[in-house]
Amino acid sequence: MKRPLRAIAAAGLLAAGSLVAVALGGTASADTQICEQFGSTVIQNRYVVQNNRWGTTAQQCINVTSTGFEITTQNGSNPTNGAPTAYPSVFFGCHYTNCSPGTNLPIQVSQISSATSSITYKYVSGASYNASYDIWLDPTPKKDGVNQMEIMIWLNRQGSIQPIGSPVETTTLVGRTWEVWRGSNGSNNVISYVAPSPITSMNFSVLDFINDVKNRGAITSSWYLTSIQAGFEPWQGGAGLGVTSFAASVNGGGSTTPPTTPPPTTTPPTGSGCAVKYTPNAWNNGFTADVTITNTGSSTINGWNLTYNLPAGQQVTNAWNATVTQSGSTVSARNVGFNGSIAPGGTANFGYQGTLSGAYSSPTSFSLNGVTCSRG
């Protein structure tokens, strides 16, 4: 099964595997050569290795061993100011409906007690590539398609290539210094951690990077970890690059109750007030809702709390970009750290998923910080 690809034309839009298809394959008991565009196989009855040649029509082949893989043929060549040719990689979790055997992913971030991984890379000279470790997250337990958040850990960067977006700062995680980049490729948000010099092997806590992204306001504890992946994005050359070993483990048993935080100080909108656009998507026993708040007033809203009543038979199960609680039919949605201020004419957006019993209908009225809003 293959999915149609969408070409990335804009310079610097480098998304490891974000536009790839479901791969095929069995189990590798001995060295297995894969040249099929999206071919894959299983190793250790635990991980999936994928060829994942999504960015070129030129041939790429990988040799899969019991512990990893090596690129044996890489005939593709893309300009270094655009997208890479491929993302040959090994992963744990679910990627475009291809789930590794026995995986417990997707799992909600709040329920992860530990997430650890180890990786060893083999590098070559004379090629343009990155060695990238990808962590994918989404507001829903998604097993198909593009997730909303991609964390990229660049353990090696060779050639005139750069991550998506722009650098925002340096930080220290897992005992190392990283340059942090932040941006979007048009399909998902990306936060990249770039090592200042090549790292051949690393044994680390995946949860440290997830928590750092959460602290930046890009995700919340209600989001789901869907997969963790390690491989290469080659632009030019790359034969001989390899992942010689890979291991990953995600354990549940974390807190199912988010930490208690004091409610934000809120100010009512002034002037014209506020408007709310409520966009639902319902099916036989569930629904999602995308909510956009517009400040139609004349002063900035500092901290917001949107309240409304859900019709009978609807129960919120998880949310993103807001802290959403429900008591009976009454819903309260408070801003999270990064989206508490809404300038005049500006907007804030959040969403949630819920269960549904009976026919679906949308809420009819909304109040922001005690002020009734119009429908946007």
Side-chain angles (χ1 to χ4, degrees):
M1 173 176 167
K2 297 180 182 178
R3 293 178 181 272
L5 303 181
R6 291 190 300 168
I8 299 180
L13 300 188
L14 321 179
S18 62
L19 302 176
V20 298
V22 172
L24 307 172
T27 300
S29 56
D31 285 14
T32 301
Q33 188 86 350
I34 300 177
C35 297
E36 196 271 333
Q37 184 176 10
F38 300 116
S40 76
T41 190
V42 173
I43 61 173
Q44 301 175 35
N45 198 34
R46 181 172 175 84
Y47 309 115
V48 176
V49 178
Q50 56 182 355
N51 194 29
N52 204 357
R53 175 178 55 82
W54 65 270
T56 180
T57 58
Q59 186 182 50
Q60 173 181 279
C61 298
I62 60 174
N63 183 63
V64 182
T65 69
S66 61
T67 60
F69 69 91
E70 180 176 316
I71 302 174
T72 56
T73 304
Q74 174 50 262
N75 293 331
S77 181
N78 285 356
T80 55
N81 64 346
T85 62
Y87 185 51
S89 50
V90 54
F91 70 85
F92 174 77
C94 295
H95 179 80
Y96 281 79
T97 72
N98 191 8
C99 294
S100 57
T103 183
N104 59 343
L105 305 186
I107 184 173
Q108 203 162 32
V109 170
S110 64
Q111 299 191 28
I112 300 174
S113 60
S114 66
T116 57
S117 185
S118 62
I119 181 76
T120 303
Y121 285 99
K122 174 190 174 186
Y123 298 137
V124 299
S125 59
S128 293
Y129 64 90
N130 71 40
S132 174
Y133 192 105
D134 264 26
I135 305 167
W136 287 95
L137 301 110
D138 196 79
T140 64
K142 194 171 186 178
K143 297 182 180 180
D144 185 19
V146 178
N147 288 187
Q148 290 191 24
M149 186 72 235
E150 177 184 14
I151 303 172
M152 296 185 72
I153 307 172
W154 288 40
L155 286 87
N156 191 1
R157 171 170 54 167
Q158 298 296 316
S160 55
I161 59 175
Q162 68 178 44
I164 292 168
S166 56
V168 294
E169 64 171 354
T170 59
T171 192
T172 300
L173 287 173
V174 297
R176 299 177 182 271
T177 300
W178 308 88
E179 185 179 59
V180 183
W181 290 60
R182 191 163 183 170
S184 172
N185 64 19
S187 297
N188 56 269
N189 295 321
V190 185
I191 294 180
S192 302
Y193 298 84
V194 182
S197 58
I199 299 172
T200 302
S201 62
M202 191 166 72
N203 191 332
F204 66 105
S205 170
V206 174
L207 198 55
D208 285 3
F209 288 91
I210 294 175
N211 286 335
D212 187 73
V213 169
K214 184 176 66 174
N215 292 337
R216 296 175 188 277
I219 66 168
T220 69
S221 295
S222 66
W223 284 46
Y224 290 81
L225 172 63
T226 63
S227 71
I228 48 183
Q229 313 178 359
F232 299 92
E233 289 184 317
W235 273 259
Q236 299 169 1
L241 293 171
V243 171
T244 58
S245 68
F246 172 81
S249 178
V250 178
N251 297 309
S255 172
T256 58
T257 304
T260 301
T261 57
T265 301
T266 60
T267 59
T270 60
S272 301
C274 52
V276 172
K277 181 180 180 181
Y278 191 90
T279 306
N281 178 31
W283 55 96
N284 60 344
N285 58 359
F287 72 101
T288 60
D290 183 77
V291 185
T292 300
I293 303 168
T294 301
N295 180 3
T296 59
S298 57
S299 62
T300 298
I301 298 171
N302 294 306
W304 49 264
N305 180 24
L306 185 72
T307 57
Y308 51 96
N309 291 325
L310 282 180
Q314 298 182 23
Q315 181 67 46
V316 175
T317 56
N318 61 80
W320 50 95
N321 295 341
T323 300
V324 180
T325 58
Q326 182 175 353
S327 176
S329 63
T330 302
V331 171
S332 172
R334 293 185 180 273
N335 67 275
V336 290
F338 70 91
N339 62 359
S341 295
I342 312 176
T347 62
N349 178 269
F350 70 94
Y352 56 88
Q353 184 175 8
T355 58
L356 174 65
S357 175
Y360 175 82
S361 59
S362 294
T364 57
S365 63
F366 300 86
S367 178
L368 184 68
N369 297 352
V371 175
T372 300
C373 300
S374 62
R375 293 297 298 269

